[in-house]
């Protein structure tokens, strides 16, 4: 079997990142968080005074940011023009602006090229998470997953990550997630869809370990089939 590429798509807060990192770690694969790249692009626009709701303005600058992703699943990194932006890309400003920026075709073209380069270079195989990995970025992935979870569960997970689990924060987190889902699923270029051949896993009732084990089982099945 050729080197393993696992595509993990799904909505915000469905458990994509933890699952992808866990699976990559257990299988000795690299890990790419494409959402972090869209977030870094968005942070660049915000800090360079570009109106994120003006697609032409965003497109005009889409080639300028230098974005680098470190692909160790235990310590993934993201830098923008050489500076670590791991904290900034999770800010409320980026949460609010990343979906509109991600709808701009020039942004998607630029990051698609970057994503394919990184996947090409991952000789030991890679787990790639995002919205359009199994459908557009790497449709030939041997294993494709589509993760989902109830909105309430997703909001709880995200709020817990941010350390704000009071009722108001939960409500705000849920509203922000749902607003992004609507834009991510409705955009014209590479919308969030369940890719052909993707296995749908609803993570709501499962712990992280259960989902990782389930995915490892699927991978073993596919690899066995490919080798018969
Ligand atoms: O996975 P995340 O929540 O960090 O992603 C942030 C945003 O980036 C998401 O709302 C839409 C965009 N995105 C995308 O359009 N395509 C991808 N492959 C990954 C993320």
């Amino acid at each position: 079997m050729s080197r393993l590429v696992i595509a993990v798509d799904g909505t915000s807060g469905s458990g994509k990142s933890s699952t992808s990192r866990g699976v990559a770690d257990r299988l000795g694969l690299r890990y790419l968080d494409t959402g972090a790249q869209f977030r870094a692009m968005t942070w660049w626009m915000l800090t360079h005074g570009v109106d994120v709701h003006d697609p032409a303005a965003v497109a005009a600058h889409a080639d300028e940011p230098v974005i680098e992703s470190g692909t160790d699943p235990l310590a993934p990194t993201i830098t923008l023009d050489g500076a670590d932006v791991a904290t900034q890309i999770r800010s409320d400003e980026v949460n609010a602006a990343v979906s509109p920026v991600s709808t701009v075709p020039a942004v998607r073209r630029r990051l698609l090229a970057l994503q394919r380069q990184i996947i090409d270079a991952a000789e030991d195989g890679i787990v790639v998470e995002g919205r359009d990995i199994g459908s557009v970025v790497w449709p030939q992935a041997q294993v494709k997953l589509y993760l989902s979870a109830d909105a309430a569960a997703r909001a709880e997970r995200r709020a817990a990550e941010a350390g704000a689990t009071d009722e108001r924060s939960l409500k705000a987190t849920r509203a922000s997630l749902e607003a992004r889902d609507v834009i991510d699923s409705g955009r014209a270029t590479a919308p969030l869809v369940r890719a052909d051949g993707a296995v749908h896993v609803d993570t709501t009732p499962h712990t992280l370990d259960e989902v990782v084990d389930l995915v490892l089982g699927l991978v073993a099945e596919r690899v066995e089939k490919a080798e018969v």
Side-chain angles (χ1 to χ4, degrees), residues 34-35 38-39 98-99 102 108 130-132 180 184 187:
T34 63
F38 283 95
R39 288 171 175 275
V98 65
S99 283
S102 306
R108 305 207 67 85
R131 302 289 187 290
D132 59 341
R180 277 195 281 141
D184 296 346
R187 68 176 173 235

Side-chain angles (χ1 to χ4, degrees), residues 93-175:
E93 297 106 289
V94 171
N95 284 338
V98 65
S99 283
V101 169
S102 306
T103 62
V104 176
V107 166
R108 305 207 67 85
R109 258 198 311 278
R110 164 92 199 285
L111 293 182
L112 177 64
L114 197 60
Q115 289 153 6
R116 287 185 174 158
Q117 254 173 30
I118 294 169
I119 299 171
D120 267 331
E123 289 173 3
D124 297 330
I126 189 164
V127 181
V128 188
E129 67 150 293
R131 302 289 187 290
D132 59 341
I133 311 305
S135 56
V136 174
V137 178
W138 211 259
Q140 65 272 48
Q142 292 94 333
V143 181
K144 296 185 197 179
L145 297 165
Y146 182 84
L147 302 191
S148 67
D150 286 354
R154 296 193 285 129
E156 257 169 45
R157 287 176 193 162
R158 275 288 152 100
E161 275 165 23
T165 50
D166 58 286
E167 198 57 35
R168 237 180 98 218
S169 305
L170 267 176
K171 254 193 168 162
T173 306
R174 180 169 172 167

